[in-house]
Coordinates of all heavy atoms in Angstrom, one line a residue:
M1 N 19.4 -4.7 7.8 CA 18.9 -4.9 6.4 C 17.6 -4.1 6.2 O 16.7 -4.2 7.1 CB 18.6 -6.4 6.3 CG 18.2 -6.9 4.9 SD 17.8 -8.6 4.8 CE 16.0 -8.5 5.0
K2 N 17.5 -3.5 5.1 CA 16.3 -2.7 4.8 C 15.3 -3.5 4.2 O 15.5 -4.3 3.4 CB 16.7 -1.5 3.9 CG 17.4 -0.4 4.7 CD 17.6 0.8 3.8 CE 18.3 1.9 4.6 NZ 18.7 3.0 3.7
E3 N 14.0 -3.2 4.6 CA 12.9 -3.9 4.0 C 12.4 -3.1 2.8 O 12.3 -1.8 2.9 CB 11.8 -4.1 5.0 CG 12.2 -5.1 6.1 CD 11.1 -5.2 7.2 OE1 10.1 -5.9 7.0 OE2 11.2 -4.4 8.2
K4 N 12.0 -3.8 1.8 CA 11.5 -3.1 0.6 C 10.0 -3.1 0.5 O 9.3 -4.1 1.1 CB 12.1 -3.8 -0.6 CG 13.6 -3.7 -0.7 CD 14.0 -2.4 -1.3 CE 15.5 -2.5 -1.5 NZ 16.1 -1.2 -1.9
C5 N 9.4 -2.2 -0.2 CA 8.0 -2.2 -0.5 C 7.7 -3.5 -1.2 O 8.4 -3.9 -2.1 CB 7.8 -1.0 -1.4 SG 6.1 -0.9 -2.0
Q6 N 6.5 -4.0 -0.9 CA 6.2 -5.3 -1.5 C 5.2 -5.2 -2.7 O 4.8 -6.2 -3.2 CB 5.5 -6.2 -0.4 CG 6.5 -6.5 0.7 CD 5.9 -7.4 1.8 OE1 5.0 -7.0 2.5 NE2 6.5 -8.6 1.9
I7 N 5.0 -4.0 -3.1 CA 4.3 -3.8 -4.4 C 5.1 -4.2 -5.5 O 6.3 -3.8 -5.6 CB 3.8 -2.3 -4.5 CG1 2.9 -1.9 -3.4 CG2 3.3 -2.0 -5.9 CD1 1.4 -2.3 -3.7
A8 N 4.6 -4.9 -6.5 CA 5.3 -5.3 -7.7 C 5.7 -4.1 -8.4 O 5.0 -3.1 -8.5 CB 4.5 -6.2 -8.6
N9 N 6.9 -4.1 -8.9 CA 7.5 -3.0 -9.7 C 7.9 -1.8 -8.8 O 8.3 -0.7 -9.4 CB 6.5 -2.5 -10.8 CG 6.1 -3.6 -11.7 OD1 6.9 -4.5 -12.0 ND2 4.9 -3.6 -12.1
C10 N 7.8 -1.9 -7.5 CA 8.2 -0.8 -6.7 C 9.4 -1.3 -5.9 O 9.4 -2.4 -5.3 CB 7.1 -0.4 -5.7 SG 7.6 1.0 -4.7
D11 N 10.5 -0.5 -5.9 CA 11.7 -0.9 -5.2 C 12.1 0.0 -4.1 O 13.3 0.1 -3.7 CB 12.8 -0.9 -6.3 CG 14.0 -1.8 -5.8 OD1 13.8 -2.7 -5.0 OD2 15.1 -1.5 -6.2
Q12 N 11.1 0.8 -3.5 CA 11.4 1.7 -2.5 C 11.6 1.0 -1.1 O 11.0 0.0 -0.9 CB 10.3 2.7 -2.4 CG 10.0 3.4 -3.7 CD 10.2 4.9 -3.5 OE1 11.1 5.3 -2.9 NE2 9.3 5.7 -4.1
D13 N 12.4 1.6 -0.3 CA 12.5 1.2 1.1 C 11.2 1.5 1.9 O 10.6 2.5 1.6 CB 13.7 1.8 1.8 CG 15.0 1.4 1.2 OD1 15.0 0.3 0.6 OD2 15.9 2.2 1.2
L14 N 10.9 0.7 2.8 CA 9.8 1.0 3.7 C 10.2 2.1 4.6 O 11.4 2.3 4.9 CB 9.5 -0.2 4.6 CG 8.9 -1.4 3.9 CD1 8.6 -2.5 4.9 CD2 7.7 -1.1 3.1
N15 N 9.2 2.9 5.1 CA 9.5 3.9 6.1 C 9.6 3.1 7.5 O 8.5 2.8 8.0 CB 8.3 4.9 6.1 CG 8.5 6.0 7.2 OD1 9.4 5.9 8.0 ND2 7.7 7.0 7.1
F16 N 10.8 2.9 7.9 CA 10.9 2.0 9.1 C 10.4 2.6 10.4 O 10.1 1.9 11.3 CB 12.4 1.6 9.2 CG 13.3 2.7 9.6 CD1 13.6 2.8 11.0 CD2 13.9 3.5 8.7 CE1 14.5 3.8 11.4 CE2 14.7 4.6 9.1 CZ 15.0 4.7 10.4
M17 N 10.3 3.9 10.4 CA 9.7 4.6 11.5 C 8.2 4.4 11.6 O 7.6 4.5 12.7 CB 9.9 6.1 11.4 CG 11.4 6.5 11.5 SD 12.1 6.3 13.1 CE 11.4 7.7 14.0
D18 N 7.6 4.1 10.5 CA 6.1 4.1 10.4 C 5.7 3.2 9.2 O 5.3 3.7 8.2 CB 5.6 5.5 10.3 CG 4.0 5.5 10.3 OD1 3.5 4.5 10.7 OD2 3.5 6.5 9.8
K19 N 5.9 1.9 9.4 CA 5.6 1.0 8.4 C 4.1 1.0 8.0 O 3.3 0.9 8.9 CB 6.0 -0.5 8.8 CG 7.4 -0.8 8.7 CD 7.6 -2.3 8.8 CE 8.8 -2.6 9.6 NZ 8.9 -4.0 9.9
K20 N 3.8 1.1 6.7 CA 2.5 1.1 6.2 C 2.1 -0.2 5.7 O 2.9 -0.9 5.1 CB 2.3 2.1 5.1 CG 2.8 3.5 5.4 CD 1.8 4.2 6.4 CE 2.0 5.7 6.5 NZ 3.4 6.1 6.9
R21 N 0.8 -0.6 6.0 CA 0.4 -1.9 5.5 C -0.9 -1.7 4.7 O -1.8 -0.9 5.2 CB 0.1 -2.8 6.7 CG 0.8 -4.1 6.6 CD 0.8 -4.9 7.9 NE -0.4 -4.6 8.7 CZ -0.9 -5.5 9.6 NH1 -0.2 -6.6 9.8 NH2 -1.9 -5.2 10.3
I22 N -1.1 -2.4 3.7 CA -2.3 -2.4 2.9 C -2.8 -3.8 2.7 O -2.0 -4.8 2.8 CB -2.3 -1.7 1.6 CG1 -1.3 -2.4 0.7 CG2 -1.9 -0.2 1.8 CD1 -1.3 -1.8 -0.8
Y23 N -4.1 -4.0 2.4 CA -4.6 -5.3 2.1 C -4.7 -5.4 0.6 O -5.3 -4.6 -0.1 CB -5.9 -5.6 2.8 CG -5.7 -5.7 4.3 CD1 -5.7 -4.7 5.1 CD2 -5.4 -7.0 4.8 CE1 -5.5 -4.8 6.5 CE2 -5.2 -7.2 6.1 CZ -5.2 -6.1 7.0 OH -5.0 -6.3 8.3
Q24 N -4.2 -6.6 0.1 CA -4.2 -6.8 -1.4 C -4.7 -8.2 -1.6 O -4.4 -9.1 -0.9 CB -2.8 -6.6 -1.9 CG -2.8 -6.1 -3.4 CD -1.4 -6.0 -3.9 OE1 -0.6 -6.9 -3.8 NE2 -1.2 -4.9 -4.6
Y25 N -5.5 -8.3 -2.7 CA -6.0 -9.6 -3.1 C -4.9 -10.5 -3.6 O -4.2 -10.1 -4.5 CB -7.1 -9.5 -4.1 CG -7.8 -10.8 -4.3 CD1 -8.7 -11.4 -3.4 CD2 -7.6 -11.6 -5.5 CE1 -9.3 -12.6 -3.6 CE2 -8.2 -12.8 -5.7 CZ -9.1 -13.3 -4.8 OH -9.7 -14.5 -5.0
D26 N -4.7 -11.7 -3.1 CA -3.7 -12.6 -3.5 C -4.3 -13.7 -4.3 O -5.1 -14.5 -3.8 CB -2.9 -13.1 -2.3 CG -1.7 -13.9 -2.7 OD1 -1.8 -14.8 -3.6 OD2 -0.6 -13.7 -2.2
E27 N -4.0 -13.8 -5.6 CA -4.6 -14.8 -6.4 C -4.2 -16.2 -6.0 O -5.0 -17.2 -6.3 CB -4.2 -14.6 -7.9 CG -5.0 -13.4 -8.5 CD -4.5 -13.1 -9.9 OE1 -3.9 -14.0 -10.5 OE2 -4.8 -12.0 -10.4
N28 N -3.1 -16.4 -5.5 CA -2.6 -17.8 -5.1 C -3.4 -18.2 -3.8 O -3.9 -19.4 -3.8 CB -1.1 -17.8 -4.8 CG -0.3 -17.5 -6.0 OD1 -0.6 -18.0 -7.1 ND2 0.7 -16.7 -5.9
L29 N -3.6 -17.3 -2.9 CA -4.3 -17.6 -1.7 C -5.8 -17.5 -1.9 O -6.6 -18.1 -1.1 CB -3.9 -16.7 -0.5 CG -2.4 -16.8 -0.1 CD1 -2.1 -15.7 0.9 CD2 -2.1 -18.1 0.5
E30 N -6.2 -16.8 -2.9 CA -7.6 -16.5 -3.1 C -8.2 -15.8 -1.9 O -9.3 -16.1 -1.5 CB -8.4 -17.8 -3.5 CG -8.0 -18.3 -4.8 CD -8.8 -19.5 -5.3 OE1 -9.6 -20.0 -4.5 OE2 -8.7 -19.9 -6.4
D31 N -7.4 -14.9 -1.3 CA -7.9 -14.2 -0.2 C -7.0 -12.9 -0.1 O -6.0 -12.8 -0.7 CB -7.6 -15.0 1.1 CG -8.5 -14.6 2.3 OD1 -9.2 -13.6 2.1 OD2 -8.3 -15.2 3.3
E32 N -7.5 -12.0 0.8 CA -6.7 -10.8 1.0 C -5.6 -11.0 1.9 O -5.7 -11.7 2.9 CB -7.7 -9.7 1.5 CG -8.6 -9.2 0.4 CD -9.2 -7.8 0.8 OE1 -9.3 -7.5 2.0 OE2 -9.5 -7.0 -0.2
T33 N -4.5 -10.4 1.6 CA -3.3 -10.5 2.5 C -2.7 -9.2 2.7 O -2.7 -8.3 1.9 CB -2.3 -11.5 1.8 OG1 -1.1 -11.5 2.6 CG2 -2.0 -11.1 0.4
A34 N -2.2 -9.0 3.9 CA -1.6 -7.7 4.3 C -0.1 -7.7 3.8 O 0.6 -8.6 4.0 CB -1.6 -7.5 5.8
I35 N 0.2 -6.6 3.1 CA 1.6 -6.4 2.7 C 2.1 -5.1 3.1 O 1.4 -4.1 3.3 CB 1.7 -6.5 1.1 CG1 0.9 -5.4 0.4 CG2 1.3 -7.9 0.6 CD1 1.1 -5.3 -1.1
Y36 N 3.4 -5.0 3.3 CA 4.1 -3.8 3.7 C 4.4 -3.0 2.5 O 4.9 -3.5 1.5 CB 5.3 -4.1 4.5 CG 5.1 -4.5 5.9 CD1 5.2 -5.8 6.3 CD2 4.6 -3.6 6.9 CE1 4.9 -6.3 7.6 CE2 4.3 -4.0 8.2 CZ 4.5 -5.3 8.5 OH 4.2 -5.8 9.8
V37 N 4.1 -1.7 2.6 CA 4.4 -0.8 1.4 C 5.1 0.5 1.8 O 5.0 0.9 3.0 CB 3.1 -0.5 0.7 CG1 2.4 -1.7 0.1 CG2 2.1 0.3 1.6
C38 N 5.7 1.1 0.9 CA 6.3 2.4 1.1 C 5.2 3.5 1.2 O 4.1 3.3 0.9 CB 7.3 2.7 0.0 SG 6.5 3.0 -1.6
D39 N 5.6 4.7 1.7 CA 4.7 5.8 1.8 C 4.0 6.1 0.5 O 2.8 6.4 0.5 CB 5.4 7.0 2.3 CG 5.8 6.9 3.8 OD1 5.4 5.9 4.4 OD2 6.5 7.8 4.3
E40 N 4.7 6.1 -0.6 CA 4.1 6.5 -1.9 C 3.0 5.5 -2.3 O 1.9 5.9 -2.6 CB 5.2 6.4 -2.9 CG 6.2 7.5 -2.9 CD 5.7 8.8 -3.3 OE1 5.2 8.9 -4.4 OE2 5.7 9.7 -2.5
C41 N 3.3 4.2 -2.1 CA 2.3 3.2 -2.5 C 1.1 3.3 -1.6 O -0.1 3.1 -2.0 CB 2.9 1.8 -2.6 SG 4.1 1.6 -3.9
Y42 N 1.3 3.5 -0.3 CA 0.3 3.6 0.6 C -0.7 4.8 0.3 O -1.9 4.7 0.3 CB 0.9 3.9 2.0 CG -0.2 3.9 3.1 CD1 -0.7 2.7 3.6 CD2 -0.6 5.1 3.7 CE1 -1.7 2.8 4.6 CE2 -1.6 5.2 4.7 CZ -2.1 4.0 5.1 OH -3.0 4.1 6.1
K43 N -0.1 5.9 -0.1 CA -0.8 7.1 -0.4 C -1.7 6.8 -1.7 O -2.8 7.2 -1.8 CB 0.1 8.3 -0.7 CG 0.4 9.1 0.5 CD 1.2 10.3 0.1 CE 2.4 10.5 1.1 NZ 3.4 11.4 0.5
K44 N -1.0 6.2 -2.7 CA -1.8 5.8 -3.9 C -2.9 4.9 -3.6 O -4.0 5.1 -4.1 CB -0.8 5.1 -4.9 CG -0.1 6.0 -5.8 CD 0.7 5.2 -6.9 CE 2.1 5.8 -6.9 NZ 3.0 4.8 -7.6
N45 N -2.7 4.0 -2.8 CA -3.8 3.0 -2.4 C -4.9 3.7 -1.7 O -6.1 3.5 -2.0 CB -3.2 1.9 -1.5 CG -4.2 0.9 -1.2 OD1 -4.9 0.9 -0.1 ND2 -4.3 -0.1 -2.0
K46 N -4.6 4.6 -0.8 CA -5.6 5.4 -0.1 C -6.3 6.3 -1.0 O -7.6 6.5 -0.9 CB -5.0 6.1 1.1 CG -4.6 5.2 2.2 CD -5.7 4.5 2.9 CE -5.2 3.2 3.5 NZ -6.3 2.3 3.9
A47 N -5.6 6.9 -1.9 CA -6.2 7.8 -2.9 C -7.2 7.1 -3.7 O -8.3 7.7 -4.0 CB -5.1 8.5 -3.7
E48 N -6.9 5.9 -4.1 CA -7.9 5.1 -4.9 C -9.1 4.8 -4.1 O -10.2 5.0 -4.6 CB -7.2 3.8 -5.4 CG -6.4 4.0 -6.6 CD -5.5 2.8 -7.0 OE1 -5.9 1.7 -6.6 OE2 -4.5 3.0 -7.6
E49 N -9.0 4.5 -2.9 CA -10.1 4.2 -2.0 C -11.0 5.4 -1.8 O -12.2 5.3 -1.8 CB -9.6 3.7 -0.6 CG -9.3 2.2 -0.6 CD -8.8 1.8 0.8 OE1 -9.1 2.5 1.8 OE2 -8.3 0.7 0.9
N50 N -10.3 6.5 -1.7 CA -11.1 7.8 -1.4 C -11.3 8.6 -2.7 O -11.6 9.8 -2.6 CB -10.3 8.6 -0.4 CG -10.1 7.9 0.9 OD1 -11.0 7.1 1.3 ND2 -9.0 8.0 1.5
N51 N -11.2 8.0 -3.8 CA -11.3 8.7 -5.1 C -12.6 9.6 -5.2 O -12.5 10.7 -5.6 CB -11.3 7.7 -6.2 CG -10.6 8.3 -7.5 OD1 -10.1 9.4 -7.4 ND2 -10.8 7.6 -8.6
I52 N -13.7 9.1 -4.8 CA -14.9 9.8 -4.9 C -14.9 11.0 -4.0 O -15.3 12.1 -4.5 CB -16.1 8.9 -4.5 CG1 -16.2 7.7 -5.5 CG2 -17.4 9.7 -4.5 CD1 -16.9 6.5 -5.0
D53 N -14.4 10.9 -2.8 CA -14.4 12.0 -1.9 C -13.5 13.1 -2.5 O -13.8 14.3 -2.4 CB -13.8 11.6 -0.6 CG -14.8 10.7 0.2 OD1 -16.0 10.7 -0.2 OD2 -14.3 9.9 1.0
W54 N -12.4 12.7 -3.1 CA -11.4 13.6 -3.6 C -12.0 14.5 -4.7 O -11.7 15.6 -4.8 CB -10.1 12.9 -4.1 CG -9.2 12.4 -3.0 CD1 -9.6 11.8 -1.9 CD2 -7.8 12.7 -2.9 NE1 -8.5 11.5 -1.1 CE2 -7.4 12.1 -1.7 CE3 -6.9 13.3 -3.7 CZ2 -6.0 12.1 -1.3 CZ3 -5.6 13.3 -3.4 CH2 -5.1 12.7 -2.1
E55 N -12.8 13.8 -5.5 CA -13.3 14.5 -6.7 C -14.3 15.6 -6.2 O -14.5 16.6 -7.0 CB -14.0 13.5 -7.6 CG -13.0 12.8 -8.5 CD -13.7 11.7 -9.3 OE1 -14.9 11.7 -9.4 OE2 -12.9 10.9 -9.9
H56 N -14.9 15.5 -5.1 CA -15.8 16.4 -4.6 C -15.2 17.5 -3.7 O -15.9 18.4 -3.2 CB -16.9 15.7 -3.8 CG -17.9 14.9 -4.7 ND1 -18.9 15.5 -5.4 CD2 -17.9 13.6 -5.0 CE1 -19.5 14.6 -6.1 NE2 -18.9 13.4 -5.9
S57 N -13.9 17.4 -3.5 CA -13.3 18.3 -2.4 C -12.7 19.5 -3.0 O -12.0 20.3 -2.3 CB -12.2 17.5 -1.7 OG -11.2 17.2 -2.6
S58 N -12.9 19.8 -4.3 CA -12.2 20.9 -4.9 C -12.9 22.3 -4.6 O -14.1 22.3 -4.2 CB -12.1 20.8 -6.4 OG -13.4 20.6 -7.0
Ligands
ZN1 ZN1 6.1 1.2 -3.0

């Protein structure tokens, strides 16, 4: 059985060779929780975190 990315609105399979995990705020738990994501969502998440660095790297 293939595992899916746990980001809402994303239906991609996880990279089973190298599962990526990010921390996301969960409103129900009122705490951060680790979720498994596909490569694309992981990259997007990291790009947002590093946004300032990226803008200066051109
Ligand atoms: Zn995804």
Side-chain angles (χ1 to χ4, degrees):
M1 191 183 92
K2 281 187 180 170
E3 291 176 85
K4 299 277 189 187
C5 177
Q6 294 181 297
I7 296 278
N9 304 323
C10 182
D11 197 28
Q12 304 243 40
D13 294 331
L14 297 182
N15 180 353
F16 69 96
M17 296 287 286
D18 183 18
K19 278 194 220 169
K20 304 290 196 303
R21 233 169 30 157
I22 62 170
Y23 288 89
Q24 208 183 48
Y25 188 75
D26 188 313
E27 286 177 16
N28 295 321
L29 296 174
E30 296 187 346
D31 200 1
E32 288 200 331
T33 173
I35 60 170
Y36 285 106
V37 297
C38 66
D39 287 352
E40 288 288 302
C41 291
Y42 183 79
K43 272 186 227 161
K44 267 186 230 164
N45 184 267
K46 290 295 154 192
E48 278 168 25
E49 276 181 15
N50 299 326
N51 210 10
I52 295 154
D53 293 339
W54 282 51
E55 283 174 10
H56 287 279
S57 65
S58 60

